[in-house]
Amino acid sequence: GTTWSVTFNGNTKSSTGTSIQFYVTYGTYSWSTSTLTFSKYGTRFVPSPSSGSFFVPSTTSQKISFTTQYYLTMYANPSGDGTVSPSSAWYNAYSTVSISASPNSGYEFVNWTGYNLTPYGAQQGYLAVGAYSGTSESASVTMNNPIIEVANFKLITYTVTFTESGLPSGTTWNVTFNGNTKSSTGTSISFVVT
């Protein structure tokens, strides 16, 4: 039921069936067909061959095979906290793709979250078949459908604690650390910093 088309000698015809016919006279003719892309759903069909020419009546038929490809979308979250590899791209259906995440300086990798788009619809779902969700920086996905992979990163933080001794219990004291002042009536004051 997919609509496809062939341009033959400058004349274009479309069909939802498996063949397209042209009626021509003796001569040499060129032809072409196009990739069918459903970008909203991350699915496309790539023809092979996509163009050519032949002499009629020596050749009167041409077989075209379409290969299904799905789109792998790669994100770093937040975008400035790390990098992902490979870049977003099309891959043949059922192929295996290695993915990796690398945090920028001062950040750490948390996990991958894998989603999918159904091949002919926009419904999203967690833990897609073939997608990867987990804590390994390097993993692989199987392109059973369009896949979205999100590498989650976070800022590395440290807790700095100041502990006092010698003050009477309940006395208010304070520390200014990197321009930020905190007070306490307890024995310690803590700051979370990068």
Side-chain angles (χ1 to χ4, degrees):
T2 302
T3 300
W4 63 293
S5 64
V6 173
T7 299
F8 184 81
N9 196 38
N11 183 22
T12 301
K13 287 187 179 182
S14 299
S15 175
T16 56
T18 60
S19 64
I20 296 175
Q21 291 183 333
F22 296 84
Y23 296 95
V24 297
T25 59
Y26 174 98
T28 300
Y29 297 93
S30 61
W31 66 272
S32 64
T33 188
S34 300
T35 296
L36 304 176
T37 302
F38 301 87
S39 57
K40 180 180 179 181
Y41 310 131
T43 303
R44 74 179 184 181
F45 304 96
V46 181
S48 179
S50 60
S51 62
S53 63
F54 51 77
F55 176 73
V56 175
S58 294
T59 305
T60 57
S61 66
Q62 172 69 51
K63 181 179 180 180
I64 303 169
S65 298
F66 285 89
T67 299
T68 303
Q69 292 187 336
Y70 296 129
Y71 198 71
L72 173 61
T73 304
M74 301 283 287
Y75 287 113
N77 176 47
S79 60
D81 292 2
T83 58
V84 294
S85 179
S87 300
S88 300
W90 292 98
Y91 292 93
N92 288 347
Y94 311 113
S95 61
T96 300
V97 182
S98 297
I99 61 174
S100 63
S102 178
N104 290 338
S105 178
Y107 297 86
E108 63 182 343
F109 172 76
V110 178
N111 61 11
W112 285 102
T113 306
Y115 303 84
N116 81 307
L117 294 173
T118 61
Y120 301 103
Q123 181 180 0
Q124 286 186 329
Y126 288 93
L127 300 175
V129 174
Y132 175 76
S133 292
T135 56
S136 296
E137 288 187 20
S138 297
S140 62
V141 298
T142 302
M143 301 302 298
N144 297 323
N145 42 242
I147 289 175
I148 300 171
E149 287 289 342
V150 181
N152 299 296
F153 301 94
K154 71 176 182 179
L155 191 65
I156 298 173
T157 58
Y158 304 88
T159 301
V160 178
T161 302
F162 297 87
T163 303
E164 67 82 14
S165 63
L167 292 176
S169 178
T171 301
T172 299
W173 63 292
N174 63 67
V175 173
T176 299
F177 184 75
N178 196 38
N180 183 20
T181 301
K182 286 187 177 182
S183 300
S184 176
T185 56
T187 60
S188 65
I189 296 174
S190 295
F191 298 83
V192 177
V193 296
T194 58

